[in-house]
Amino acid sequence: RPRVGVRHRVRDAAVDAAVDTFIFDLDGTLYPITNGYEHACRARVFSFMVNRIGGFASESHAKDVWWSAFQRYNQTLRSLRALGYDAFDAEEYWAYTRGDAREFLKPNAEARAFVEALRGKKYVFTNCHETQARQALEALGLLDCFDGVFGAGRMGECCKPEPAAFEKLFAHFSIAHPHKCVFFEDSLKNLRTAKLAFGVRTVLVASPTLDEELATETAIHDDASSAPTALACVDCVVRDVHLCARAVRAAQCADAALLAVLLPK
């Protein structure tokens, strides 16, 4: 299947207004998706389905049921509710499936330095519940870097990549001009909504999440050439281990206009 090149690229460096807000996804953006935490959370989802919900022959069976629903609903809790599993408590679900973030997440000095250097409001926008998101941010040593966290608790019946989730985010934090925001995210689906529906400036943090999404889109459309089109909603692609290194190298390959967006003066 097609893969995005490792070299950083910029699609459009034109800037027509000053950036005043920076929005970050959590999982796979503020820490590498390959560090084991996301994998452990998914494993706990299947364990929760077998041991708390019941009716599944095995965790493998639970995974198969989860996967097909997740492709449609984009969040596990919503997927389970849509499948008719509504007898369990949401708070118990979040605590069980997210576990103790400190087992996998450690303070990240480089990411902290980068986030602190950005001039403007800074928010975390995640499909995880705010409680567990804050626990993860605290484990990363980043919680006090952000002006707010917006997650599943405030989204209600919607989630990324639905436009309604973005509208709730903007309304909650009184963001009147989304085109003045930069959004760091490892999910192409979420960046597509941000760019096409709201004109947000988008930075794709390329990771295995991207490969998974491109593989799914290729399977659906049966077209291996769709990757360049899929990336049309992305202003900048970065790929490396640490957010700081990714963003700095991406900015260095851009002209002065995009450099002003990504890095403080």
Side-chain angles (χ1 to χ4, degrees), residues 61-77:
H61 177 214
K63 180 178 180 180
D64 290 340
V65 173
W66 164 83
W67 177 251
S68 59
F70 187 79
Q71 297 311 300
R72 178 176 181 180
Y73 296 104
N74 299 294
Q75 185 204 65
T76 297
L77 179 59

Side-chain angles (χ1 to χ4, degrees), residues 22-25 29 114 118 182-185 203 205 243 247 262:
F22 298 88
I23 303 169
F24 289 80
D25 174 47
T29 298
F114 175 72
L118 297 172
V182 176
F183 185 26
F184 295 84
E185 167 72 77
V203 179
V205 181
L243 177 65
L262 292 179

Side-chain angles (χ1 to χ4, degrees), residues 2-250:
R3 294 178 64 89
V4 174
V6 173
R7 290 182 299 176
H8 312 305
R9 69 177 185 85
V10 175
R11 181 180 64 83
D12 181 6
V15 175
D16 58 4
V19 168
D20 58 18
T21 305
F22 298 88
I23 303 169
F24 289 80
D25 174 47
L26 174 59
D27 300 319
T29 298
L30 290 172
Y31 70 88
I33 202 73
T34 54
N35 78 344
Y37 184 48
E38 192 264 354
H39 177 77
C41 290
R42 283 196 181 184
R44 283 192 286 265
V45 165
F46 309 139
S47 174
F48 184 87
M49 292 171 70
V50 171
N51 298 308
R52 292 289 201 274
I53 296 177
F56 300 95
S58 64
E59 291 189 7
S60 177
H61 177 214
K63 180 178 180 180
D64 290 340
V65 173
W66 164 83
W67 177 251
S68 59
F70 187 79
Q71 297 311 300
R72 178 176 181 180
Y73 296 104
N74 299 294
Q75 185 204 65
T76 297
L77 179 59
R78 288 187 68 211
S79 299
L80 294 174
R81 297 299 198 207
L83 291 171
Y85 303 111
D86 54 9
F88 62 90
D89 180 72
E91 291 186 8
E92 178 193 9
Y93 162 82
W94 285 114
Y96 187 107
T97 58
R98 295 295 293 194
D100 187 350
R102 294 171 298 181
E103 293 182 15
F104 296 91
L105 305 182
K106 307 301 178 185
N108 186 335
E110 287 184 297
R112 182 179 178 89
F114 175 72
V115 175
E116 284 185 328
L118 297 172
R119 296 181 179 178
K121 292 290 186 179
K122 289 162 275 193
Y123 304 109
V124 171
F125 183 30
T126 172
N127 279 343
C128 169
H129 194 279
E130 289 87 352
T131 297
Q132 283 68 36
R134 290 191 181 94
Q135 291 171 357
L137 290 168
E138 186 171 15
L140 290 166
L142 298 175
L143 182 58
D144 62 328
C145 293
F146 291 96
D147 297 289
V149 177
F150 193 89
R154 293 194 175 106
M155 288 184 205
E157 296 301 315
C158 60
C159 70
K160 295 185 294 183
E162 296 172 29
F166 287 82
E167 290 170 352
K168 288 186 176 184
L169 167 78
F170 299 143
H172 183 78
F173 292 123
S174 301
I175 299 174
H177 304 290
H179 66 281
K180 294 184 179 182
C181 299
V182 176
F183 185 26
F184 295 84
E185 167 72 77
D186 69 325
S187 171
L188 191 59
K189 293 185 293 185
N190 298 337
L191 290 174
R192 184 179 293 126
T193 299
K195 171 59 67 178
L196 300 182
F198 302 100
V200 173
R201 296 164 193 183
T202 53
V203 179
L204 172 64
V205 181
S207 73
T209 301
L210 174 63
D211 298 327
E212 183 179 279
E213 289 187 356
L214 288 179
T216 300
E217 289 196 4
T218 298
I220 292 174
H221 300 293
D222 193 27
D223 182 7
S225 65
S226 63
T229 302
L231 290 171
C233 63
V234 176
D235 292 315
C236 184
V237 178
V238 294
R239 183 197 291 269
D240 268 309
V241 177
H242 299 293
L243 177 65
C244 179
R246 286 194 297 255
V248 169
R249 279 196 284 272

